[in-house]
Amino acid sequence: MAGWPTAGLPLLAQTTLPMEIKRLVEKDPKLRKDDLIVITGAGGFIAGNLARYFSRKGFTRIRAVDKKPLYEWYLRTPGVECLCLDVSIEANCRRVCEGAVEVYNLAADMGGMGFIERFRVECLRSILINTHMVEAAYRAGARRYFYSSSACAYNTLLQQDPHVRALKESDAYPAMSERGYGWEKLISEMFCQEYWAERGMKTAIARFHNVYGPNGTWDGGREKAPAAICRKTIEAIDKNDLRIEIWGDGTATRSFMYIDDCVKGIDMIMHSDALIATPINLGSSELISINDLVSKVEQIAGVKLKRSHDLNAPRGVAGRNSDNTFIKKMLKWEPDTKLDVGLAATYKWIEQQYYTRKKGKRVGIG
Ligand SMILES: NC(=O)c1ccc[n+]([C@@H]2O[C@H](COP(=O)([O-])OP(=O)(O)OC[C@H]3O[C@@H](n4cnc5c(N)ncnc54)[C@H](O)[C@@H]3O)[C@@H](O)[C@H]2O)c1
């Protein structure tokens, strides 16, 4: 049992871990602008935005990878090398990691509750991605490896009330993660912890809480609540039928992190020596119910919708929020874009996408 019950605890608690998984942290050489950065899942929402973020920071060698055909990628940043490869296959991971100085693994088969409750096997099979990517990064001699975990890794028994206590990092253990998707995240976190403990590769693990914003999935079944509610509102206005169907009774609560905060947080967590192999929340602590989220979107759109509730639809845990005590302590920062601000930008982007598609043009939807 030595070691595991305390894995995921803040650093202070980890001082009790056995000797063999304590390591001296050697200082990295300064990351050069032409060092190779590899980002997987880059045809998707967060990783696509991350590639653009590093490009804007002046990095000139970014390799973006996704299994989706290029025309389905949300964002393609000029100057970024784009590879269309499946990274659940080991040989592809080796090819992808060749020459990498830093690797950001964000590829996963995932979606909102509608997807992760129905396709647990698909979610579990993402274990192949991280298993091969972390090994390939290690063999390639990468200096640092980032893994995108999720709040779904937390013990679901702590999330049965909409008025939840926010989740802190130690709440992942004793483990009772979300079936399928959550367990895959938890096991992949362990891989990252052991690649540091046993092999000395610096790994970073962020537990994202719902991320939203422009350039993400907004239709097709994998979209999450903010995007789905924006799309349904836009559709209702377009069809002049001002009704909306809400999944569940609308009392469930969540927090939502704006994409700009997410990419900034990834950068900070990845480059913090104090956070090596230490899972940390990356999420907003602004808790809101789904009913109130609909009200915010109504306000942005300038309409009032007649609501109905589908009580048989997937809805996930009753409540989930991010306890940001640890991130504030470690990084003197937390995701702080107000939901009103981020939601307005997201609504505008989805509206553009919706009408572009209506004109018969191709848009990425997931
Ligand atoms: N969006 C959120 O709210 C959220 C919350 C918690 C965790 N996460 C995690 O963050 C990461 C990115 O999420 P996202 O919202 O950008 O999702 P996304 O679905 O928009 O992007 C994931 C991308 O990974 C790609 N992919 C899947 N399997 C692949 C494979 N075998 N080879 C290559 N590419 C593959 C998909 O094609 C997709 O483009 C994921 O690991 C996800 O689990 C996201």
Side-chain angles (χ1 to χ4, degrees):
M1 282 302 278
W4 286 124
T6 49
L9 288 181
L11 286 185
L12 202 62
Q14 288 199 1
T15 53
T16 56
L17 290 178
M19 277 312 287
E20 74 268 13
I21 63 173
K22 280 187 196 161
R23 276 189 173 270
L24 191 69
V25 180
E26 281 170 28
K27 212 168 151 38
D28 287 346
K30 192 172 159 26
L31 191 65
R32 292 170 17 176
K33 292 292 186 210
D34 62 350
D35 277 339
L36 180 64
I37 294 176
V38 168
I39 304 175
T40 69
F45 173 39
I46 303 174
N49 277 282
L50 188 66
R52 186 170 68 174
Y53 168 87
F54 281 126
S55 170
R56 284 180 174 167
K57 274 190 96 173
F59 289 92
T60 54
R61 288 181 66 220
I62 301 168
R63 180 177 294 154
V65 188
D66 203 289
K67 69 175 178 184
K68 287 198 297 208
L70 286 178
Y71 59 79
E72 281 185 16
W73 292 32
Y74 292 121
L75 267 179
R76 284 182 58 195
T77 305
V80 169
E81 175 190 6
C82 296
L83 296 182
C84 193
L85 285 173
D86 182 339
V87 291
S88 66
I89 296 167
E90 191 178 5
N92 289 345
C93 296
R94 280 200 227 122
R95 156 78 184 88
V96 159
C97 289
E98 240 168 59
V101 175
E102 292 191 348
V103 175
Y104 295 79
N105 177 26
L106 286 94
D109 237 326
M110 65 90 66
M113 281 321 299
F115 183 82
I116 68 175
E117 281 200 358
R118 278 183 61 208
F119 299 107
R120 296 191 185 109
V121 172
E122 288 309 312
C123 291
L124 281 168
R125 286 181 60 82
S126 289
I127 195 78
L128 295 172
I129 299 176
N130 192 62
T131 306
H132 294 319
M133 278 300 298
V134 73
E135 174 70 14
Y138 170 72
R139 285 185 184 216
R143 215 181 275 159
R144 286 179 188 252
Y145 181 89
F146 178 89
Y147 178 64
S148 51
S149 185
S150 164
C152 292
Y154 282 115
N155 190 326
T156 49
L157 301 177
L158 301 172
Q159 305 170 62
Q160 293 176 331
D161 183 336
H163 308 287
V164 280
R165 157 174 88 60
L167 293 161
K168 56 184 187 299
E169 284 74 4
S170 54
D171 289 333
Y173 293 93
M176 186 56 75
S177 304
E178 190 105 31
R179 277 176 66 185
Y181 181 72
W183 279 103
E184 188 277 319
K185 292 293 186 194
L186 203 62
I187 297 292
S188 290
E189 284 187 1
M190 274 191 199
F191 268 87
C192 294
Q193 292 180 305
E194 290 301 10
Y195 269 79
W196 165 245
E198 225 177 270
R199 302 197 188 175
M201 181 168 66
K202 291 178 180 170
T203 56
I205 306 155
R207 290 187 185 139
F208 299 166
H209 291 246
N210 297 291
V211 190
Y212 75 100
N215 302 301
T217 309
W218 57 277
D219 201 358
R222 289 180 186 246
E223 66 279 13
K224 299 197 156 196
I229 293 168
C230 287
R231 188 203 69 240
K232 287 180 183 182
T233 306
I234 293 161
E235 264 167 4
I237 295 170
D238 183 38
K239 292 180 179 150
N240 203 13
D241 179 8
L242 295 184
R243 288 182 295 172
I244 188 164
E245 187 184 77
I246 299 167
W247 283 10
D249 63 7
T251 59
T253 54
R254 294 287 186 279
S255 71
F256 299 97
M257 166 170 57
Y258 192 56
I259 182 66
D260 292 2
D261 289 336
C262 182
V263 292
K264 182 178 174 187
I266 292 172
D267 187 4
M268 290 168 91
I269 291 167
M270 176 71 144
H271 298 109
S272 164
D273 279 344
L275 289 174
I276 292 171
T278 306
I280 183 167
N281 279 334
L282 183 56
S284 161
S285 55
E286 187 183 348
L287 192 69
I288 186 169
S289 72
I290 299 301
N291 280 331
D292 289 347
L293 188 64
V294 176
S295 301
K296 278 194 189 295
V297 175
E298 283 179 333
Q299 215 171 9
I300 291 165
V303 289
K304 201 89 197 125
L305 302 168
K306 189 170 173 358
R307 304 177 185 194
S308 62
H309 293 270
D310 179 356
L311 300 181
N312 295 319
R315 57 189 128 161
V317 293
R320 177 182 292 151
N321 196 7
S322 177
D323 182 328
N324 286 349
T325 312
F326 187 48
I327 192 168
K328 281 193 284 188
K329 179 178 165 215
M330 301 306 288
L331 299 178
K332 312 278 175 280
W333 173 83
E334 68 177 315
D336 55 3
T337 304
K338 288 277 162 230
L339 190 53
D340 286 323
V341 175
L343 210 50
T346 308
Y347 184 89
K348 200 167 146 203
W349 180 80
I350 294 177
E351 195 176 36
Q352 275 166 1
Q353 295 283 298
Y354 179 89
Y355 286 106
T356 305
R357 185 175 67 178
K358 204 177 166 193
K359 281 188 206 144
K361 294 195 182 145
R362 187 190 286 280
V363 289
I365 55 167

